[in-house]
Amino acid sequence: MIRSRIVGTGRAVPTKVLTNADLMRMVDTSDAWIVERTGIRERHILEPSLAASDLATEAGRKACDKAGIAPALVDCIIVGTVTGDCPFPSTATFVQKKLGARPGSCAFDLSAACAGFLYGMSIADAFLRVGQFKHVLVIGVEVLSRITDWTDRGTCILFGDGAGAVLMTAGDDGGASPRGLLSTHLFADGGLTDILLQPIGGSREPATPENLATKRHFIQMNGREVYKHAVRNMAAGARTALEVNGLKADDVAWVVAHQANIRILEGVSDRVGIPMSRFFTNVDRYGNTSSASVPTALDEALEMGKIKQGDLLLFAALGGGLTWASAAVRW
Ligand code: UT7
């Protein structure tokens, strides 16, 4: 059976670090509150002269290098982001040029907030299995610092900037004990658009001086509601991935889930019955980087030698929309 597989990963992290102590000088908060409620200790912030495509290109180049595939051989670049370089053209087209991928190859962005990377992986999987493309680069990148209200302590403590990428290709899955992408599941509930959004900057409320004065071009979030749905839906998505593949919680070597908040991950761990010792976490050092968080965590877990050939990986993410997704991968 033809199955797609991740053959290279990469990440790009801005050099500037913003610690909880730094935030205490900006808003009325404390290191103890942030650590207890979120698990976050620091996050990285992109320097003003750079944009999403710069981070995305760095992560994408590393993924190509690790895979040993020249950028010129990449047939399609999919970028999951809600903080692209500009409303159009797509960030993926900037990445194609900066990476030195082929003019004429496919490049597009997709908007599924924190689930954007897993949505992208699912689309790449479909392209690869039908044989439309041979090499697909999937990137999650966010520069959330540019749409964060740094005077709002309810949101500014959470978010960070970064990019993660995977290079995917397809091939025979090895028969009896298949390796590669086993399944992806994508979900959305448009009845919940109002609990996490950036209202201003699109066609409904353009970025006019009057609209910008309301500060609603920054992330608006009902934290408690998002929290509740994140635990419930990421757990449900993860359970679906297990059930569809006839797998049990004990079969999972690593859960690589969206790094939004350590308590959300603990809630998912309880509901799915997989101990936190098998959740890879780096939210303490990066904060919530939305679509970048899953591929960044995957790349870091691989670099640390935590993932071995044959390991079962379970992916889950949830973000604005709401959108959520899960995937099962035999490494
Ligand atoms: O990728 C998906 C994107 N979003 C998320 O994943 C976010 C999901 N939500 C969360 O992670 C949590 O809801 C937060 C971390 C945002 C907030 O934690 P919480 O435990 O839900 O706190 P809360 O909003 O219920 O606020 C509790 C108290 C409030 O004070 P009162 O009303 O009890 O006096 C807040 O005003 O904590 C206060 N508070 C803070 N205090 C110190 C809110 N933010 C802060 C802060 N520092 N930064």
Side-chain angles (χ1 to χ4, degrees):
M1 180 177 170
I2 298 296
R3 226 180 259 280
S4 62
R5 195 183 284 186
I6 295 169
V7 290
T9 64
R11 67 180 187 279
V13 180
T15 44
K16 184 182 168 196
V17 174
L18 187 74
T19 64
N20 291 351
D22 295 329
L23 282 167
M24 285 166 62
R25 287 187 281 275
M26 297 159 65
V27 289
D28 179 15
T29 191
S30 68
D31 177 56
W33 192 97
I34 301 172
V35 172
E36 191 201 323
R37 302 288 177 124
T38 70
I40 300 167
R41 293 179 187 277
E42 57 188 39
R43 64 292 287 147
H44 293 253
I45 306 293
L46 191 63
E47 42 269 66
S49 61
L50 298 178
S53 63
D54 298 302
L55 277 178
T57 302
E58 185 186 334
R61 181 167 291 120
K62 288 176 180 168
C64 290
D65 286 351
K66 277 199 202 132
I69 302 288
L73 295 176
V74 172
D75 305 304
C76 173
I77 299 171
I78 303 174
V79 175
T81 189
V82 294
T83 49
D85 287 20
C86 45
F88 78 89
S90 69
T91 298
T93 56
F94 291 111
V95 173
Q96 185 202 62
K97 168 96 169 88
K98 290 181 182 178
L99 190 63
R102 264 185 350 269
S105 59
C106 170
F108 65 94
D109 289 0
L110 71 84
S111 175
C114 308
F117 172 76
L118 291 182
Y119 265 62
M121 213 166 76
S122 181
I123 293 165
D125 179 50
F127 279 145
L128 290 164
R129 281 189 295 118
V130 298
Q132 185 161 354
F133 297 126
K134 266 185 85 176
H135 302 112
V136 181
L137 187 60
V138 184
I139 304 173
V141 60
E142 299 297 357
V143 191
L144 295 172
S145 62
R146 306 270 161 87
I147 61 164
T148 296
D149 179 354
W150 292 102
T151 65
D152 173 18
R153 68 175 183 172
T155 52
C156 76
I157 52 127
L158 290 174
F159 300 113
D161 302 336
V166 299
L167 188 78
M168 292 173 62
T169 187
D172 191 75
D173 70 0
S177 45
R179 286 179 59 207
L181 204 52
L182 305 183
S183 65
T184 57
H185 290 92
L186 309 180
F187 311 91
D189 183 350
L192 295 167
T193 48
D194 59 336
I195 63 172
L196 180 54
L197 73 165
Q198 183 193 10
I200 289 175
S203 58
R204 185 167 43 187
E205 295 186 71
T208 59
E210 297 75 25
N211 283 339
L212 293 175
T214 68
K215 290 176 75 175
R216 285 161 55 259
H217 54 299
F218 294 128
I219 297 169
Q220 309 289 304
M221 180 179 75
N222 179 335
R224 282 189 195 184
E225 279 300 302
V226 175
Y227 187 103
K228 205 172 68 190
H229 290 287
V231 173
R232 191 184 294 158
N233 292 336
M234 287 212 287
R239 278 200 305 266
T240 301
L242 291 178
E243 279 159 25
V244 162
N245 292 293
L247 296 162
K248 300 183 299 301
D250 281 351
D251 296 323
V252 176
W254 286 104
V255 180
V256 185
H258 173 43
Q259 308 285 305
N261 177 326
I262 197 74
R263 285 158 60 220
I264 291 177
L265 296 177
E266 286 164 357
V268 175
S269 159
D270 276 351
R271 283 184 178 229
V272 186
I274 301 174
M276 277 305 281
S277 57
R278 284 192 269 141
F279 277 63
F280 182 80
T281 62
N282 60 11
V283 68
D284 55 329
R285 287 172 290 117
Y286 296 116
N288 179 345
T289 60
S290 187
S291 66
S293 90
V294 170
T296 299
L298 174 65
D299 185 55
E300 211 172 70
L302 284 162
E303 193 175 87
M304 293 164 107
K306 291 187 180 288
I307 298 170
K308 306 274 181 293
Q309 187 173 322
D311 277 355
L312 179 70
L313 309 185
L314 191 55
F315 295 87
L318 175 137
L322 293 181
T323 52
W324 64 103
S326 66
V329 172
R330 179 72 67 186
W331 198 256

